Amino acid sequence: MASIAPIPVQLPKLLNLFRTVVPKLTAEKYKGQCGRIGLIGGCMEYTGAPYFAAIASMKVGADLSHVFCHGNAASVIKAYSPDLIVHPVLDCSDAVDKVIPWLERIHVIVIGPGLGRDPTILKTATELLNYCLRAQKPVIIDADGLYILNDNISLVCGMKNVILTPNVMEFRRLFGEDPEESSERISILGEGVVVLEKGFNDKIHIPQSSEIHILPTGGSGRRCGGQGDILSGSLATFFYWTLQSKTENPAYVAACASSYFVKQLNTSAYQKFGRSLLASDMINEIPTVFMKNFENICNQDRILEL
């Protein structure tokens, strides 16, 4: 298969489009209309990852964020923030039956941050992923959620509204190191799946055309843990908005916007903290960076008048 030259993302044009997708805040809105996000992940060792993803989804504008985690992680995650709805269920024998009624009400599901590698939990997560795919729920698969796909990529082939967010090593495990091999393996995913490969230049892989769209560099040299979780959480909210607005290529637009946004968060926090930058510092930058890059100023004027 002949390699296709990467296509630079036309970022100014795309960001202008995304600004039209950001929902207006009006007095008529009710809780849940701007997004109900669900996150499947969180275990004893990894409580920060689900927190960063879930709180990022809310800080960019979702109304509700649910975390479905291992029982021994729940109290810790709840202690991080009272804004999150935390369900200590993943290690229950009837976890799938307990989670599915909640998933029916959720708009976008993120599977993976802090999930861990416990075989029983991975089996539960796989069953929940299968439910989401059958129900055509929009799904973002990240971190240990991608581990599920290493030997079972066919789970998502031909499915709709699926975004994979591997880093460099996760991408190699999923699709191989050889570019032609990677392109061939990605092509079988089908038109309903988009791959956002995180790196120095984030890349968006389009399976049906074998195109690779490359985003500009950004951020800093500081690569602390938690940044990928912030991306998956903000991406979940952005994905819901692009789907709701019936934007053409919603997964692509949401992936580009979230990639750009997280790099801007990193830049903003790095200017203040340098090498001491942590993911929690990036969370604190969300209001300023979002307002600067995405917010509709007319919309804010309207809110201030109410």
Side-chain angles (χ1 to χ4, degrees):
M1 180 184 294
S3 60
I4 298 176
I7 302 168
V9 171
Q10 301 300 312
L11 201 54
K13 182 178 179 181
L14 186 136
L15 293 178
N16 281 334
L17 171 62
F18 184 74
R19 290 182 189 110
T20 69
V21 167
V22 176
K24 295 180 180 179
L25 299 177
T26 66
E28 292 78 23
K29 290 282 187 186
Y30 58 83
K31 182 174 63 178
Q33 281 188 297
C34 287
R36 297 188 293 271
I37 307 302
L39 187 136
I40 297 170
C43 61
M44 181 185 293
E45 294 87 355
Y46 303 116
T47 57
Y51 163 74
F52 286 131
I55 203 68
S57 73
M58 291 192 72
K59 293 282 279 186
V60 299
D63 292 328
L64 294 166
S65 190
H66 296 256
V67 178
F68 302 93
C69 63
H70 195 288
N72 58 24
S75 295
V76 179
I77 298 170
K78 286 181 180 182
Y80 292 151
S81 173
D83 299 290
L84 306 179
I85 303 168
V86 183
H87 307 260
V89 295
L90 285 188
D91 53 328
C92 297
S93 59
D94 58 347
V96 174
D97 292 333
K98 287 184 175 180
V99 174
I100 283 178
W102 288 98
L103 295 186
E104 291 170 353
R105 298 177 244 176
I106 287 171
H107 295 127
V108 178
I109 295 95
V110 182
I111 299 179
L115 187 64
R117 301 284 177 87
D118 180 277
T120 303
I121 302 300
L122 289 176
K123 181 176 182 293
T124 297
T126 303
E127 291 180 36
L128 292 171
L129 171 59
N130 275 318
Y131 164 78
C132 293
L133 296 172
R134 289 195 305 270
Q136 296 190 348
K137 286 281 185 182
V139 177
I140 295 162
I141 307 176
D142 184 42
D144 287 327
L146 296 168
Y147 183 79
I148 294 170
L149 302 181
N150 282 345
D151 298 315
N152 204 6
I153 195 70
S154 61
L155 275 178
V156 297
C157 290
M159 296 299 173
K160 291 179 60 178
N161 295 326
V162 176
I163 304 177
L164 311 182
T165 58
N167 59 27
V168 173
M169 293 306 299
E170 290 163 343
F171 184 89
R172 290 175 182 170
R173 285 194 289 265
L174 280 171
F175 303 115
E177 296 190 39
D178 179 74
E180 290 194 10
E181 177 191 356
S182 297
S183 180
E184 189 170 336
R185 295 196 69 182
I186 289 171
S187 69
I188 69 172
L189 295 174
E191 64 180 358
V193 182
V194 164
V195 180
L196 170 55
E197 179 189 358
K198 299 174 289 192
F200 181 66
N201 286 96
D202 288 356
K203 300 172 184 175
I204 299 177
H205 299 258
I206 312 297
Q208 70 269 28
S209 63
S210 296
E211 292 176 348
I212 301 173
H213 294 242
I214 188 164
L215 285 136
T217 58
S220 70
R222 177 65 168 143
R223 294 288 183 265
C224 60
Q227 296 183 67
D229 306 307
I230 294 172
L231 185 142
S232 65
S234 59
L235 174 57
T237 302
F238 291 177
F239 195 18
Y240 174 62
W241 292 349
T242 57
L243 288 166
Q244 280 296 101
S245 65
K246 302 189 185 308
T247 302
E248 189 176 358
N249 301 319
Y252 175 81
V253 173
C256 288
S258 59
S259 167
Y260 169 79
F261 179 64
V262 171
K263 288 185 183 298
Q264 291 297 303
L265 291 177
N266 183 284
T267 296
S268 182
Y270 187 77
Q271 289 171 353
K272 297 179 180 179
F273 301 106
R275 69 172 62 248
S276 295
L277 180 157
L278 299 174
S280 52
D281 299 317
M282 291 172 60
I283 292 289
N284 292 333
E285 295 299 308
I286 288 177
T288 302
V289 173
F290 190 96
M291 180 74 72
K292 177 182 176 182
N293 289 280
F294 297 142
E295 196 61 83
N296 184 328
I297 301 303
C298 295
N299 176 39
Q300 288 303 304
D301 292 342
R302 165 71 175 148
I303 293 296
L304 292 172
E305 290 171 5
L306 295 174

